[in-house]
Amino acid sequence: MKRSAKYWLAGLMLVVVAAAMTLLYVHTRPQADVGEKTLTVSVTHSDGTQRSFTLQTDAADLWDAMDEAGLIAGTDSAYGKWITQVDGETAEETANQWWVFTRGGQWVDTACDATPIADGESYEFSIYAG
């Protein structure tokens, strides 16, 4: 087999593998429930006080649900929304603080605006100082 044919075949195989991986991701990624959902959001403030909120929403992601309730603020970043404020408390970047959130006590590996929500889920927000 000629060298150019080998490169062409390798390139074709790379395209096929990339397409298969993309299709697999699209069909297996987490999906938001459609329609009305009830969420519980617990916020632990830097002084240790806690507040809990029950949200009724038809939003698809966590950011939109909390934004509708006036509970969250932030800025756009290359990785999604950067949370700067939750329940009126701002994380102080000069003090090396930032907001973190979990779902049912487990770390979430997506940005808040890319986290699909489902009925009955609970989320926990707290300030982390590093």
Side-chain angles (χ1 to χ4, degrees), residues 53-77:
F53 303 90
T54 301
L55 307 181
Q56 300 284 333
T57 184
D58 61 355
D61 63 66
L62 182 57
W63 181 275
D64 288 344
M66 291 185 65
D67 188 43
E68 287 174 0
L71 289 175
I72 198 165
T75 59
D76 291 325
S77 78

Side-chain angles (χ1 to χ4, degrees), residues 45 52 55 74 89 116:
H45 290 274
S52 185
L55 307 181
E89 183 173 0

Side-chain angles (χ1 to χ4, degrees), residues 30-33 37 39 59-66 79-81 83 101-103 106-118 121-123 125:
Q31 299 292 319
D33 281 356
K37 296 170 272 298
L39 306 175
D61 63 66
L62 182 57
W63 181 275
D64 288 344
M66 291 185 65
Y79 304 104
K81 294 279 190 183
I83 303 168
F101 69 98
T102 56
R103 177 179 35 230
Q106 301 295 316
W107 289 104
V108 178
D109 61 0
T110 55
C112 193
D113 61 326
T115 301
I117 56 177
E121 289 182 324
S122 61
Y123 292 88
F125 285 78

Side-chain angles (χ1 to χ4, degrees), residues 21-41:
M21 290 176 66
T22 301
L23 285 172
L24 180 64
Y25 171 75
V26 167
H27 291 291
T28 60
R29 70 179 177 207
Q31 299 292 319
D33 281 356
V34 176
E36 185 82 11
K37 296 170 272 298
T38 301
L39 306 175
T40 302
V41 175

